[in-house]
């Protein structure tokens, strides 16, 4: 069953990787895969420099590359094109032989080897996207900079063992290789061994990242295997939940660890390496150079955490053989500086470092996070540390999630915020026969992760170079602004307006990405830099400028698209920025140089940008799409009296109640042997709550999530045996109420009176429980969401009234607006009072022949028709 899950995931992955012509695109596949590599902490950023190069003659290929944050590691990506063939059968996609993958790795290795030796310098044209990489790694500077080349093979195949009755997943590890190279540095001949690492990114890896909700792969450091000896230590504490050891580590061990694992060692370190120009790092370096024996006395040492230690006693001494989930949580700067100091030729053989090792026994991810946060908080900080919460449990992210559950677009749709990795996939996996419906409700273009959220938000600002860095850099910048821990003194107000403007920024970003394009028909090859730079320029000349008008983001939110004139204008700006990045970059590697603030400063202050933004076209566009300060204040005031309603609790309840009690009884039966007594009791409480139509407590909602995720990981086949969504009326009723609530808010209407109108319509039709509708409207005025029992009552009068209506099967644009039909609209609304008096009179003018119905008026009338349909008007 696990292999079957892999192939289900493959289908979804390739579907998301199709271009506008329906073909699976290698660059789009890489874009889909990179966030998983970032989640697993294998890369520092999801952004890559696309540099497609394939040679039949040389049997070589690469798709893209990036350089890690500290600069010593070149990461190369290659897509196995045969694995994305849509005609391949599942049987053909099962790989059991290591040699199959080795042959693919060799293609990238050949490219790197030839490039380093300079064999490609005359073969590749200056316009080739691989030219900057080839120029770099064939130079003495590049050869000195890179100590490790890491090749990532993207293959959407399942790696299996065929030695059992049916194929079972297996993992293949690939040995490191060394490439001996010579080069000249400061007029001397130097030789070094370049380490070549190989990492397979197959369906096994991608699916496991998905179901682990983004938790990274623990780093195991076996000192005996790597260095030939264990580490002597003193056991300082042996508590119930953690052990603590003290030891002295030779600097050579730390240097080798950093070379082999780079920033993976520091992934939970709240400081990233701050470069050698910082005074603290200069001091570390100077001590190594002049007084290496005294380093241990001058330096504070490092703190390491792990979740498991393999130790033994010998001759009264304690030794550590290996540490699992090895992390340097304090002293990352010390470690990195030791590595780079040795790299620059200084002797570190006499340098030792004091280390404290804390082993959190039987700790889950959350307990380990808490331990590390406290270590960082209470340690003697070398530089100021920002202690923002970067996890999906961050309170600001929870608030944004609740807004995404509560706010509907003017077109009646929601955006899905995937706060935790795999959240949407879980929703689909348990949806059964409602899977297509959920996919339709939340298409790919209306879903976003917390990492994408950070990128879109930060691009609308003054740091496009941070957006280009991606990864934790941009996410940290985003969270710091939200929480007030960065340059802002106060946390930002995360309300309805903030959310709607945030979605508008996403629409802007994604539309410009599509406009810029990828591949042969694109504006250029530096899309990931051009988009944030373009948006930051627009920001600087609107929201970010002194005495400037505010860009009207809510105009984009309401239409959910860019008007033609705005898109044409921004396309011209995209083309200009594309050319300016090439002009002002002081490096051929545009992707890497666009991560520097110097490029942003040069472009922003350039004559070309000043001239473009002072043009008549700019004046026309900015006049149309901006608001004065007074207009913005007026808009904000219009919403101030509304107490926001959080629908997240009732949404979670509704999803569980929609499944029905039989669904959970079946889980209790099929999963019985793997539930504790306490879990059985909790599941029983959920079943009782469903049968009695009671709200399920928050703690039980969390338990249900954890249980479903456990089943998804360990026993996914159980979902195929569960009854599917028997009580969809609750789901549909909530959707109706949320849409109605949002429509009233967007039009600055009165919640109580508008819901009273709905009650009157239902009452006039003789339906039951109509009083609950007005009751819900009154609760909304107090900022309170409905409960599950109210939803059940409301379904009797809302859905039964709507049941015979076939409107959903009819395209509103195909409705013929005859005078007879228009009169029906007017007469129905006289009784129902859905439209305003002005809107009703507008329709009446055409219904009774007082005005001619042009295409312009027809569009307006259909907007009003849509409002009537939502309230129960029947087309037939």
């Amino acid at each position: 069953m696990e292999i079957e899950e892999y192939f289900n995931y493959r289908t979804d992955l390739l579907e998301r990787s199709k271009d506008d012509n329906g073909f699976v695109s290698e660059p789009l596949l890489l874009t889909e895969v990179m966030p998983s590599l970032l989640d697993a902490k294998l890369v520092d950023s999801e952004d890559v420099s696309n540099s497609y190069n394939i040679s039949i003659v040389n049997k070589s290929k690469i798709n893209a590359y990036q350089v890690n944050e500290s600069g010593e590691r070149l990461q190369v990506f290659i897509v196995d094109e045969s694995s994305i063939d849509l005609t391949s059968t599942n049987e053909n996609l099962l790989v059991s032989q290591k040699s199959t993958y080795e042959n693919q790795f060799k293609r990238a290795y050949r490219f790197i080897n030839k490039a380093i030796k300079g064999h490609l310098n005359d073969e590749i044209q200056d316009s080739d996207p691989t030219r900057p990489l080839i120029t770099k790694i064939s130079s003495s500077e590049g050869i000195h900079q890179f100590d490790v080349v890491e090749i990532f093979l993207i293959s959407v195949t399942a790696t299996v063992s065929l030695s059992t009755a049916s194929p079972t997943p297996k993992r293949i590890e690939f040995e490191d290789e060394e490439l001996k190279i010579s080069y000249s540095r400061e007029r001397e001949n130097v030789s070094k061994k370049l380490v070549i690492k190989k990492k397979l990114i197959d369906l096994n890896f991608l699916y496991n990242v998905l179901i682990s909700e983004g938790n990274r792969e623990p780093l195991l450091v076996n000192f005996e295997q790597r260095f030939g000896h264990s580490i002597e230590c003193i056991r300082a504490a042996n508590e119930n939940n953690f052990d603590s050891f003290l030891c002295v580590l030779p600097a050579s061990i730390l240097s080798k660890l950093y070379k082999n694992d780079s920033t993976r060692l520091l992934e939970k370190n709240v400081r990233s390496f701050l470069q050698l120009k910082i005074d603290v790092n200069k001091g570390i370096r100077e001590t190594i150079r002049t007084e290496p024996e005294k380093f241990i006395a001058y330096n504070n040492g490092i703190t390491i955490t792990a979740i498991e230690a393999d130790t033994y006693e010998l001759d009264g001494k304690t030794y550590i053989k290996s540490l699992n989930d090895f992390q340097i949580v304090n002293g990352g700067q010390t470690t990195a500086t030791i590595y780079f100091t040795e790299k620059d030729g200084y002797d570190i053989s006499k340098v030792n470092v004091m280390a404290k090792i804390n082993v959190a026994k039987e700790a889950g991810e959350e307990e380990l996070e808490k331990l590390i946060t406290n270590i960082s908080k209470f340690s003697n900080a070398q530089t100021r540390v920002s202690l923002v919460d970067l996890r999906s449990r961050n309170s600001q992210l929870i608030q944004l999630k609740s807004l995404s559950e509560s706010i509907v677009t003017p077109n009646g749709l929601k955006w899905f915020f995937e706060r935790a990795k795999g959240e949407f996939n879980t929703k689909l996996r348990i949806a059964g026969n409602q899977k297509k419906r959920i996919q339709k409700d939340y298409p790919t273009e209306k879903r976003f992760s917390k990492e994408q959220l950070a990128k879109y938000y930060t691009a609308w600002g003054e740091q496009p170079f941070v957006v280009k860095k991606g990864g934790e850099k941009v996410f940290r910048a985003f969270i710091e602004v939200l929480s007030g821990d960065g340059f802002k003194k106060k946390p930002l107000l995360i309300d309805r307006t903030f959310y709607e403007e945030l979605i508008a920024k996403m629409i802007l970003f994604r539309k410009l990405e599509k406009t810029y394009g990828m591949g042969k028909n694109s504006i250029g090859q530096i899309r990931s830099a051009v988009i944030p730079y373009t948006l930051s320029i627009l920001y600087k000349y609107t929201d970010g400028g002194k005495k400037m008008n505010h860009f009207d983001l809510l105009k984009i939110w309401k239409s959910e698209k860019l008007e033609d004139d705005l898109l044409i204008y921004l396309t011209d700006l995209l083309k200009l920025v594309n050319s300016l990045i090439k002009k002002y970059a002081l490096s051929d590697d545009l992707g890497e140089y666009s991560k520097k603030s110097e490029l942003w400063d040069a472009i922003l202050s350039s004559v070309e940008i000043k001239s473009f933004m002072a043009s008549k076209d700019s004046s026309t566009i900015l006049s149309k799409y901006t608001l004065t300060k007074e207009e913005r204040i007026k808009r904000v005031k219009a919403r101030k009296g509304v107490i926001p309603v959080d629908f997240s609790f009732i949404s979670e309840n509704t999803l569980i109640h929609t499944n029905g009690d039989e669904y959970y009884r079946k889980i209790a039966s099929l999963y019985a042997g793997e539930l504790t007594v306490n879990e059985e009791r909790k599941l029983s409480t959920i079943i009782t709550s469903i049968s009695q139509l009671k709200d399920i407590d928050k703690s039980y909602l969390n338990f249900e999530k954890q249980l479903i995720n456990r089943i998804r990981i360990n026993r996914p086949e159980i979902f195929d045996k569960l009854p599917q969504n028997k009580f969809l009326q609750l789901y549909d009723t909530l959707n109706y109420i949320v849409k109605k609530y949002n429509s009233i808010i967007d039009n600055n209407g009165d919640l109580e009176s508008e819901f009273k109108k709905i009650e009157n319509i239902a009452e006039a039709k003789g339906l039951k429980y109509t009083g609950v509708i007005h009751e819900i409207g009154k609760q909304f005025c107090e900022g309170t969401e409905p409960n599950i029992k109210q939803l059940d009552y409301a379904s009797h009068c809302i859905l039964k009234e709507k049941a015979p209506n076939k409107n959903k099967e009819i395209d509103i644009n195909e409705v013929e607006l005859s005078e007879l039909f228009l009169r029906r609209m007017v007469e129905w609304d006289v009784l129902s009072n859905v439209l305003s008096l002005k809107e009703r009179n507008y329709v009446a003018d055409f219904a009774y022949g007082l005005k001619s119905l042009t295409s312009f008026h027809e569009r307006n009338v259909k907007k009003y028709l849509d409002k009537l349909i939502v309230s129960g008007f029947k087309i037939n």
Side-chain angles (χ1 to χ4, degrees):
M1 283 304 298
E2 194 169 359
I3 303 296
E4 205 174 300
E5 291 295 316
Y6 288 176
F7 289 127
N8 288 337
Y9 174 74
R10 178 182 184 270
T11 301
D12 292 339
L13 179 63
L14 294 186
E15 188 63 34
R16 297 196 305 271
S17 303
K18 288 181 179 178
D19 60 21
D20 291 339
N21 297 317
F23 297 108
V24 177
S25 158
E26 290 183 34
L28 287 176
L29 175 65
L30 195 54
T31 300
E32 289 292 332
V33 165
M34 286 305 295
S36 294
L37 271 66
L38 180 63
D39 284 330
K41 304 299 181 185
L42 297 180
V43 296
D44 293 336
S45 168
E46 71 277 23
D47 178 64
V48 296
S49 296
N50 285 300
S51 50
Y52 181 80
N53 182 287
I54 186 169
S55 171
I56 305 298
V57 176
N58 297 330
K59 296 182 180 178
S60 65
K61 179 184 181 181
I62 68 165
N63 283 80
Y65 71 93
Q66 68 172 215
V67 178
N68 76 329
E69 189 182 336
S70 47
E72 84 289 350
R73 181 173 294 225
L74 172 65
Q75 295 174 315
V76 175
F77 305 89
I78 172 174
V79 175
D80 175 7
E81 62 272 26
S82 64
S83 74
I84 62 175
D85 185 352
L86 294 175
T87 63
S88 294
T89 63
N90 288 356
E91 188 176 338
N92 292 335
L93 294 165
L94 297 174
V95 177
S96 60
Q97 298 297 317
K98 189 176 183 178
S99 58
T100 304
Y101 294 127
E102 286 284 15
N103 290 333
Q104 292 293 331
F105 279 116
K106 284 176 184 176
R107 299 168 83 191
Y109 179 87
R110 290 188 193 102
F111 176 90
I112 294 297
N113 192 16
K114 283 181 170 290
I116 287 174
K117 292 176 179 177
H119 295 171
L120 299 179
N121 286 343
D122 296 330
E123 294 182 19
I124 303 295
Q125 297 179 355
D126 288 344
S127 59
D128 192 287
T130 55
R131 167 54 71 185
L133 175 61
I134 290 168
T135 301
K136 180 78 170 178
I137 60 178
S138 63
S139 68
S140 295
E141 177 196 352
I143 293 172
H144 176 71
Q145 177 182 337
F146 299 127
D147 293 330
V148 177
V149 174
E150 197 166 14
I151 302 171
F152 290 93
L153 170 60
I154 316 300
S155 179
V156 283
T157 50
T159 308
V160 298
S161 170
L162 299 177
S163 60
T164 51
S166 59
T168 55
K170 77 171 181 179
R171 178 172 177 162
I172 298 178
E173 296 289 348
F174 299 87
E175 297 76 25
D176 294 350
E177 295 183 37
E178 289 185 339
L179 182 63
K180 190 171 183 179
I181 49 180
S182 300
Y183 62 101
S184 60
R185 178 170 170 77
E186 297 177 354
R187 299 182 181 178
E188 290 185 13
N189 289 327
V190 182
S191 65
K192 69 185 284 188
K193 290 180 180 178
L194 186 68
V195 178
I196 309 293
K197 289 181 166 292
K198 292 169 283 188
K199 179 69 179 177
L200 173 63
I201 307 300
D202 58 357
L203 289 173
N204 309 41
F205 172 86
L206 293 170
Y207 185 75
N208 286 334
V209 171
L210 181 73
I211 62 175
S212 66
E213 298 190 349
N215 292 331
R216 81 279 178 276
E217 188 176 355
L219 176 63
L220 175 66
V221 174
N222 190 311
F223 294 102
E224 283 201 350
Q225 286 181 1
R226 290 201 188 188
F227 309 110
H229 60 84
S230 297
I231 303 298
E232 185 183 344
C233 63
I234 298 170
R235 188 184 292 270
N238 185 5
E239 302 295 333
N240 289 334
N241 58 351
F242 80 94
D243 287 335
S244 192
F245 302 90
L246 298 175
C247 67
V248 174
L249 290 175
S252 59
I253 285 184
L254 290 177
S255 181
K256 288 172 184 174
L257 280 171
Y258 191 88
K259 180 176 181 177
N260 191 69
D261 298 297
S262 190
T263 49
R264 277 196 75 194
L265 293 170
L266 318 176
E267 68 187 53
K268 290 185 179 295
N269 190 341
V270 291
R271 304 178 197 89
S272 58
F273 180 52
L274 301 177
Q275 305 302 327
L276 296 178
K277 63 185 179 181
I278 292 180
D279 290 340
V280 172
N281 297 329
K282 284 181 180 178
I284 295 170
R285 189 183 181 92
E286 188 62 18
T287 301
I288 292 172
R289 190 179 71 82
T290 60
E291 301 178 281
E293 302 91 343
K294 296 180 181 178
F295 187 90
I296 196 167
Y298 294 168
N299 186 264
N300 287 334
I302 67 174
T303 303
I304 297 167
T305 64
I307 59 171
E308 184 181 9
D310 184 357
T311 64
Y312 64 89
E313 306 288 328
L314 183 64
D315 297 333
K317 296 178 181 179
T318 303
Y319 294 87
I320 296 177
K321 185 177 179 180
S322 67
L323 291 170
N324 190 19
D325 204 354
F326 183 103
Q327 289 289 296
I328 297 173
V329 297
N330 197 31
Q333 294 174 62
T334 297
T335 305
T337 305
I338 286 171
Y339 167 79
F340 283 102
T341 303
E342 182 184 35
K343 179 181 171 71
D344 286 345
Y346 294 102
D347 181 16
I348 64 168
S349 61
K350 297 179 181 178
V351 177
N352 290 298
V353 181
M354 180 65 72
K356 178 167 64 175
I357 301 170
N358 294 311
V359 181
K361 295 184 288 189
E362 299 179 2
E365 183 75 14
E366 192 167 343
E367 290 87 353
L368 192 59
E369 289 276 7
K370 186 176 180 181
L371 174 65
I372 290 166
T373 299
N374 286 334
I375 290 170
S376 301
K377 182 177 179 181
F378 299 119
S379 293
N380 181 24
Q382 294 167 318
T383 56
R384 180 183 177 273
V385 175
S386 172
L387 292 174
V388 294
D389 187 350
L390 300 181
R391 300 161 298 172
S392 60
R393 294 185 292 275
N394 177 286
S395 60
Q396 280 91 6
L397 295 182
I398 291 172
Q399 173 65 8
L400 283 168
K401 179 66 177 177
S402 73
L403 288 168
S404 73
E405 292 281 0
S406 307
I407 297 177
V408 175
T409 69
N411 289 333
L413 296 172
K414 286 183 185 178
W415 284 65
F416 190 92
F417 174 29
E418 190 169 47
R419 184 166 61 91
K421 185 76 176 177
E423 191 177 358
F424 188 76
N425 184 269
T426 300
K427 191 180 183 78
L428 285 182
R429 190 63 186 84
I430 66 175
N433 54 16
Q434 294 302 311
K435 182 176 179 179
K436 287 185 179 179
R437 176 177 178 169
I438 290 174
Q439 287 174 319
K440 186 178 179 181
D441 285 348
Y442 299 105
T444 304
E445 62 271 18
K446 279 191 164 52
R447 304 199 298 259
F448 60 97
S449 66
K450 63 182 191 297
E451 290 80 16
Q452 289 174 320
L453 172 64
K455 180 169 69 173
Y456 300 143
Y457 180 86
T458 309
W460 189 257
E462 301 180 35
Q463 294 182 303
F465 49 91
V466 173
V467 178
K468 186 66 177 72
K469 290 178 181 179
E472 188 172 306
K473 282 286 184 184
V474 67
F475 189 59
R476 175 175 289 278
F478 166 66
I479 292 294
E480 285 183 345
V481 172
L482 247 62
S483 63
D485 202 60
F487 63 91
K488 297 271 186 184
K489 291 183 179 179
K490 293 182 180 179
L492 294 181
L493 176 63
I494 303 176
D495 59 4
R496 187 184 187 89
T497 299
F498 177 90
Y499 178 79
E500 290 175 353
E501 290 186 343
L502 187 64
I503 298 299
K505 292 168 189 174
M506 291 184 200
I507 294 169
L508 255 175
F509 196 107
R510 288 180 172 179
K511 184 60 182 177
L512 293 193
E513 278 188 317
K514 197 166 185 180
T515 301
Y516 188 95
M518 290 184 78
K520 294 179 181 178
N521 299 320
S522 62
I523 291 172
Q525 301 300 319
I526 45 175
R527 183 176 81 162
S528 61
V530 173
I531 306 303
Y533 272 68
T534 299
L535 289 173
S536 289
I537 287 167
L538 184 60
Y539 169 84
K540 282 296 291 182
Y541 279 85
T542 53
D543 298 21
K546 291 181 180 178
K547 298 182 180 177
M548 295 282 192
N549 289 345
H550 288 270
F551 191 81
D552 191 359
L553 289 163
L554 289 186
K555 185 173 279 191
I556 294 174
W557 157 261
K558 287 179 180 177
S559 60
E560 295 188 72
K561 63 178 183 178
L562 305 191
E563 298 297 331
D564 291 343
D565 56 348
L566 179 59
L567 184 56
I568 291 169
Y569 172 78
L570 290 176
T571 302
D572 290 340
L573 184 54
L574 281 176
K575 292 175 180 176
L576 175 60
V577 171
N578 191 74
S579 64
L580 294 182
I581 288 177
K582 294 178 182 178
K583 178 178 179 179
Y584 289 102
L586 301 180
S587 166
D588 291 336
D589 195 336
L590 303 177
E592 287 301 310
Y593 196 77
S594 59
K595 296 176 182 178
K596 297 181 179 292
S597 60
E598 293 89 340
L599 179 61
W600 166 240
D601 293 338
I603 290 175
L604 186 62
S605 60
S606 69
V607 173
E608 293 90 342
I609 287 297
K610 288 178 180 177
S611 174
F612 183 90
M613 297 310 296
S615 68
K616 185 178 178 181
D617 284 347
S618 290
S619 178
T620 301
I621 288 294
L622 296 184
S623 174
K624 179 178 178 181
Y625 290 98
T626 57
L627 298 167
T628 65
K629 186 178 180 180
E630 291 74 23
E631 287 171 328
R632 184 173 172 80
I633 290 172
K634 185 178 178 182
R635 176 183 283 177
V636 171
K637 277 185 177 178
R639 285 185 168 183
K640 264 194 172 178
V642 179
I643 304 172
V645 176
D646 181 357
F647 287 94
S648 54
F649 179 74
I650 188 62
S651 294
E652 289 180 43
N653 258 281
T654 301
L655 286 173
I656 292 176
H657 278 270
T658 295
N659 288 332
D661 54 359
E662 274 304 310
Y663 181 95
Y664 294 97
R665 289 185 204 279
K666 196 75 173 175
I667 285 177
S669 169
L670 295 172
Y671 205 58
E674 298 171 66
L675 293 172
T676 66
V677 173
N678 188 38
E679 287 173 336
E680 287 178 352
R681 192 180 300 118
K682 286 182 178 180
L683 195 53
S684 177
T685 301
I686 289 174
I687 292 167
T688 302
S689 297
I690 295 171
S691 61
Q692 295 178 0
L693 279 171
K694 289 182 177 179
D695 285 353
I696 298 165
D697 184 81
K698 188 70 180 175
S699 63
Y700 287 91
L701 293 176
N702 291 334
F703 161 73
E704 191 267 356
K705 276 186 187 176
Q706 292 164 7
L707 176 62
I708 291 297
N709 197 47
R710 226 165 80 202
I711 294 171
R712 184 180 66 137
I713 295 168
N714 302 325
R715 299 278 304 282
E717 71 279 4
I718 284 179
F719 292 118
D720 300 325
K721 302 172 184 176
L722 300 177
Q724 299 298 333
N725 309 107
K726 293 194 172 181
F727 302 98
L728 285 170
Q729 72 270 17
L730 293 174
Y731 185 86
D732 290 336
T733 302
L734 181 63
N735 271 348
Y736 173 87
I737 288 173
V738 170
K739 286 178 183 179
K740 191 68 182 175
Y741 167 86
N742 278 273
S743 174
I744 295 166
I745 295 295
D746 286 339
N747 291 294
N748 297 322
D750 181 78
L751 286 163
E752 185 177 352
S753 62
E754 291 297 324
F755 272 86
K756 182 65 178 174
K757 289 177 186 177
I758 301 171
E759 180 192 3
N760 291 341
I761 295 169
E763 200 171 49
K765 296 181 178 296
L767 299 175
K768 296 191 297 181
Y769 310 124
T770 56
V772 75
I773 303 295
H774 186 214
E775 190 179 300
I776 290 171
K778 286 195 289 185
Q779 285 177 205
F780 283 155
C781 296
E782 299 166 0
T784 305
E785 61 190 330
N787 59 44
I788 205 75
K789 192 154 279 187
Q790 287 176 316
L791 276 191
D792 180 58
Y793 285 142
S795 69
H796 288 275
C797 45
I798 289 175
L799 298 182
K800 284 195 176 179
E801 190 274 335
K802 287 163 63 71
N805 192 359
K806 303 294 183 183
N807 289 335
K808 284 190 176 180
E809 299 172 10
I810 299 174
D811 185 347
I812 195 171
N813 293 315
E814 295 178 359
V815 175
E816 183 185 351
L817 298 179
S818 64
E819 285 192 7
L820 181 62
F821 183 84
L822 293 172
R823 288 180 190 181
R824 277 187 55 220
M825 284 175 61
V826 173
E827 290 162 4
W828 190 89
D829 189 60
V830 167
L831 293 173
S832 306
N833 235 359
V834 172
L835 302 178
S836 68
L837 183 60
K838 184 178 179 181
E839 290 169 340
R840 190 192 305 148
N841 288 339
Y842 180 87
V843 177
D845 283 344
F846 308 111
Y848 296 100
L850 300 177
K851 286 184 180 178
S852 178
L853 189 66
T854 64
S855 58
F856 170 79
H857 293 311
E858 188 172 323
R859 284 197 297 273
N860 288 336
V861 169
K862 284 186 176 178
K863 285 182 186 176
Y864 302 146
L865 172 58
D866 191 50
K867 287 177 72 174
L868 297 183
I869 288 171
V870 169
S871 296
F873 178 74
K874 300 177 185 63
I875 290 176
N876 298 324

